[in-house]
Amino acid sequence: MRKQLIAIFDGVRDPRKIDKCTYELGDLLAIAFLTYLTDKKDYADMELFAKHKARDFGLLPYTEQSPSRDTFERLFGILKTDYLEKCVIEQGRHILDLMNEKQIAIDGKKECGTAPREKGPKGDYILNAYVTENALFIGQEKVTDKENEIPAIPRLLDKIEIKGAVISIDAIGTQVDIAEKIIGKGGHYFLAVKENQAGLLSEIKDVIRYNKPTSTYSETDKEHARVETRTVSIYPADKIEDKEILSRWKCLRTVVKVDTNTCHVSEGGRQETQTRYYISDEDFPSAKYYGSLARGHWAIENGLHWHLDVTFKEDECRARKLNAAQNLSLLRKLVLQVVKATDDRLSVRKRLVRASLDSEYLFTLLNNYGF
């Protein structure tokens, strides 16, 4: 099993002075990975796993010593994030076919543990790229206090393959240059429009006010004490009267409106309505298609960010030395992919708990992912 585990991290370059190292890099990274896979959370847990469980997997074969929490802290601080990221992404390629017609959601997540308390709400963000159909993480980019997500989005797009895929981004990423970059790389865009693009938003509302939709689609979901109805309407973008605004957006073809009505049954039938607007370079004739994109974008929140926060308690992690926050986040994402590859009746959280108690089940998780 050691051979398969350390092979995950073959492409990671060792930042340490080799002649002064007691432990091999692959062993340390495999221990950290297995620590998260068995529902543990921090450097102290990695130390305990190394001492009591690592040799069950054939790890640390060349020494009788065990690495301390300080060893892990130093390593993840100086480890180059790009190398580890490539390894994590490569692990997912065997369950991902061509990008054609895939939806890639891009969204930022605050690394709460990276901000000292005296700084209040400030802190680093990690911008993630996520294939919604496959629930697969494919890339990340750090966003620091000194910038917002706008300059980070092109950097992330440069790192990932998007040809034939639909890129969905919230309103902050609805920028002329970003839309042009997506088209230039052979992708398609589906971008939310809010007040940060006031001129475009005003034109979209006029198109909707004075024209009939070319297609509409409605669906209703009932969940616990809530009933939600979504109605999607699409309009040709060439109905935009201000041609200067229209011409700024590369290949803009379709305007999309999504009306959401939510009835809270447990609150006396209280009604809540919301209208969202999008633009797309595609001219697909079905409103249902664009509705699936609008809903699919939230998969990055429900399928990735939620698990990082709730299942892995990422917000509680206070590791912020150098590259530590990004590197540990990458390991959690790898573990999440491994756990999701097993299809049983347990939740992701329960699978981690069972893996911590049942060694046979832990090996099942690893084998189902291809280790």
Side-chain angles (χ1 to χ4, degrees):
M1 178 57 77
R2 176 180 184 269
K3 183 178 180 181
Q4 293 93 325
L5 288 171
I6 65 174
I8 302 172
F9 308 104
D10 276 348
V12 181
R13 294 186 184 179
D14 198 332
R16 305 169 300 163
K17 294 181 179 180
I18 304 300
D19 57 342
K20 295 184 178 181
C21 295
T22 304
Y23 313 104
E24 292 194 7
L25 177 65
D27 288 303
L28 294 177
L29 293 176
I31 288 169
F33 162 70
L34 291 171
T35 299
Y36 283 131
L37 189 55
T38 52
D39 198 36
K40 307 303 187 294
K41 302 293 185 288
D42 55 25
Y43 296 137
D45 291 332
M46 294 177 193
E47 177 183 342
L48 289 172
F49 189 95
K51 183 177 181 179
H52 298 289
K53 297 291 291 183
R55 288 173 177 83
D56 293 349
F57 297 85
L59 300 171
L60 304 175
Y62 307 118
T63 177
E64 294 182 358
Q65 301 181 56
S66 294
S68 68
R69 59 180 300 171
D70 293 337
T71 299
F72 290 104
E73 183 174 9
R74 286 193 298 269
L75 173 63
F76 285 108
I78 63 176
L79 194 67
K80 293 292 185 182
T81 302
D82 288 348
Y83 298 133
L84 184 57
E85 181 181 354
K86 288 177 182 177
C87 290
V88 174
I89 293 170
E90 187 62 33
Q91 287 301 312
R93 291 190 187 280
H94 71 281
I95 61 173
L96 184 67
D97 52 13
L98 295 176
M99 280 295 183
N100 287 339
E101 299 182 1
K102 299 288 186 182
Q103 181 180 2
I104 301 175
I106 292 179
D107 195 30
K109 178 184 179 299
K110 186 175 180 181
E111 298 302 289
C112 294
T114 66
R117 292 180 181 178
E118 62 269 16
K119 288 189 176 182
K122 293 184 179 180
D124 292 343
Y125 281 74
I126 292 181
L127 198 66
N128 293 306
Y130 188 75
V131 181
T132 62
E133 291 91 336
N134 300 86
L136 184 66
F137 161 81
I138 59 169
Q140 70 178 35
E141 181 66 27
K142 185 178 181 179
V143 186
T144 67
D145 280 341
K146 297 180 180 179
E147 64 178 358
N148 59 28
E149 294 178 16
I150 295 174
I153 292 172
R155 297 200 302 267
L156 179 55
L157 290 171
D158 282 335
K159 293 166 63 174
I160 62 177
E161 174 58 51
I162 67 171
K163 187 174 182 180
V166 180
I167 310 301
S168 60
I169 315 176
D170 204 1
I172 194 170
T174 305
Q175 308 291 330
V176 170
D177 293 344
I178 290 175
E180 188 169 349
K181 188 174 191 67
I182 292 170
I183 297 297
K185 290 197 66 178
H188 302 283
Y189 60 79
F190 182 76
L191 306 175
V193 181
K194 294 182 181 178
E195 286 74 12
N196 64 322
Q197 291 290 344
L200 176 62
L201 180 60
S202 177
E203 289 294 321
I204 287 174
K205 289 181 177 179
D206 282 345
V207 168
I208 293 168
R209 184 180 297 114
Y210 299 116
N211 296 275
K212 292 183 178 181
T214 56
S215 175
T216 60
Y217 172 75
S218 293
E219 61 179 355
T220 299
D221 287 333
K222 297 180 180 180
E223 183 177 305
H224 302 298
R226 188 181 72 169
V227 179
E228 182 175 279
T229 300
R230 291 177 299 278
T231 302
V232 185
S233 305
I234 62 173
Y235 305 79
D238 60 12
K239 296 295 184 179
I240 293 177
E241 291 190 0
D242 191 327
K243 301 308 178 185
E244 181 180 350
I245 289 180
L246 177 61
S247 65
R248 292 177 192 164
W249 298 91
K250 188 78 171 181
C251 301
L252 176 54
R253 298 285 187 271
T254 303
V255 168
V256 182
K257 181 181 74 160
V258 179
D259 292 310
T260 303
N261 181 274
T262 305
C263 177
H264 299 273
V265 178
S266 62
E267 299 178 24
R270 180 176 65 87
Q271 301 286 326
E272 185 178 19
T273 61
Q274 182 184 37
T275 300
R276 291 171 285 151
Y277 305 94
Y278 302 87
I279 56 173
S280 173
D281 68 293
E282 296 187 285
D283 57 358
F284 200 79
S286 170
K288 182 178 180 179
Y289 168 70
Y290 295 99
S292 69
L293 292 178
R295 191 174 186 185
H297 182 75
W298 294 105
I300 192 170
E301 287 290 343
N302 300 328
L304 180 63
H305 295 169
W306 187 89
H307 280 298
L308 291 174
D309 284 341
V310 178
T311 303
F312 293 96
K313 308 296 183 185
E314 188 168 86
D315 276 357
E316 297 176 10
C317 178
R318 291 298 179 261
R320 55 176 178 266
K321 183 178 180 181
L322 301 175
N323 299 327
Q326 296 178 77
N327 284 324
L328 295 177
S329 182
L330 283 166
L331 281 181
R332 295 182 193 105
K333 290 163 187 170
L334 174 59
V335 169
L336 182 59
Q337 290 176 188
V338 171
V339 173
K340 284 189 172 184
T342 293
D343 185 14
D344 57 24
R345 295 183 178 183
L346 297 177
S347 67
V348 170
R349 171 74 177 137
K350 293 299 184 183
R351 290 173 198 171
L352 295 174
V353 173
R354 182 175 175 182
S356 71
L357 302 171
D358 183 349
S359 295
E360 185 177 342
Y361 185 75
L362 173 58
F363 281 102
T364 297
L365 293 180
L366 294 169
N367 291 332
N368 287 349
Y369 194 73
F371 294 140

